[in-house]
Coordinates of all heavy atoms in Angstrom, one line a residue:
Chain B
D231 N 14.4 -7.3 21.6 CA 13.5 -7.9 22.6 C 12.1 -7.9 22.0 O 11.6 -7.0 21.5 CB 13.6 -6.9 23.9 CG 12.8 -7.5 25.0 OD1 11.5 -7.8 24.7 OD2 13.3 -7.6 26.1
P232 N 11.5 -9.2 22.1 CA 10.2 -9.3 21.4 C 9.1 -8.6 22.0 O 8.0 -8.5 21.3 CB 10.0 -10.9 21.5 CG 10.8 -11.4 22.7 CD 12.0 -10.4 22.7
K233 N 9.2 -8.0 23.3 CA 8.0 -7.4 23.9 C 8.2 -5.9 23.8 O 7.1 -5.2 23.9 CB 8.0 -7.8 25.3 CG 7.6 -9.3 25.5 CD 6.4 -9.5 26.5 CE 5.7 -10.8 26.4 NZ 6.7 -11.9 26.7
K234 N 9.4 -5.4 23.8 CA 9.6 -3.9 24.0 C 9.5 -3.2 22.7 O 9.8 -3.8 21.6 CB 10.9 -3.7 24.7 CG 10.9 -4.1 26.1 CD 12.3 -3.8 26.7 CE 12.2 -4.3 28.2 NZ 13.6 -4.6 28.6
C235 N 9.1 -1.9 22.8 CA 9.1 -1.0 21.7 C 10.4 -1.1 20.8 O 11.4 -1.0 21.5 CB 8.7 0.3 22.2 SG 9.0 1.7 20.9
L236 N 10.2 -1.1 19.6 CA 11.4 -1.2 18.7 C 12.2 0.1 18.6 O 13.4 0.0 18.5 CB 11.0 -1.7 17.3 CG 10.4 -3.1 17.2 CD1 9.7 -3.3 15.9 CD2 11.4 -4.2 17.5
L237 N 11.4 1.1 18.6 CA 12.1 2.4 18.6 C 13.0 2.6 19.8 O 14.1 3.1 19.7 CB 11.1 3.5 18.4 CG 11.5 4.9 18.0 CD1 12.3 4.9 16.8 CD2 10.4 5.9 17.8
D238 N 12.4 2.2 21.0 CA 13.2 2.3 22.3 C 14.5 1.5 22.1 O 15.4 1.7 23.0 CB 12.3 1.7 23.4 CG 11.3 2.8 23.9 OD1 11.3 4.0 23.4 OD2 10.4 2.5 24.7
Q239 N 14.5 0.5 21.3 CA 15.7 -0.3 21.2 C 16.6 0.1 20.0 O 17.6 -0.6 19.7 CB 15.3 -1.8 20.9 CG 14.4 -2.4 22.0 CD 14.0 -3.9 21.8 OE1 14.8 -4.7 21.7 NE2 12.7 -4.0 21.7
G240 N 16.3 1.2 19.5 CA 17.2 1.8 18.5 C 16.9 1.5 17.0 O 17.7 1.7 16.3
L241 N 15.8 0.8 16.8 CA 15.4 0.5 15.4 C 14.5 1.6 15.0 O 13.6 2.1 15.8 CB 14.7 -0.8 15.3 CG 15.5 -2.0 15.6 CD1 14.7 -3.3 15.7 CD2 16.5 -2.2 14.4
I242 N 14.7 2.1 13.8 CA 13.8 3.2 13.3 C 12.5 2.7 13.0 O 12.3 2.1 11.9 CB 14.4 4.0 12.2 CG1 15.8 4.7 12.6 CG2 13.5 5.1 11.8 CD1 16.5 5.4 11.6
C243 N 11.5 2.8 13.8 CA 10.2 2.3 13.6 C 9.3 3.6 13.2 O 9.3 4.5 14.1 CB 9.6 1.5 14.8 SG 7.9 0.9 14.6

Side-chain angles (χ1 to χ4, degrees):
Chain B
D231 181 304
K233 293 232 166 60
K234 291 182 180 152
C235 167
L236 297 167
L237 195 53
D238 282 353
Q239 299 180 65
L241 291 169
I242 302 180
C243 179

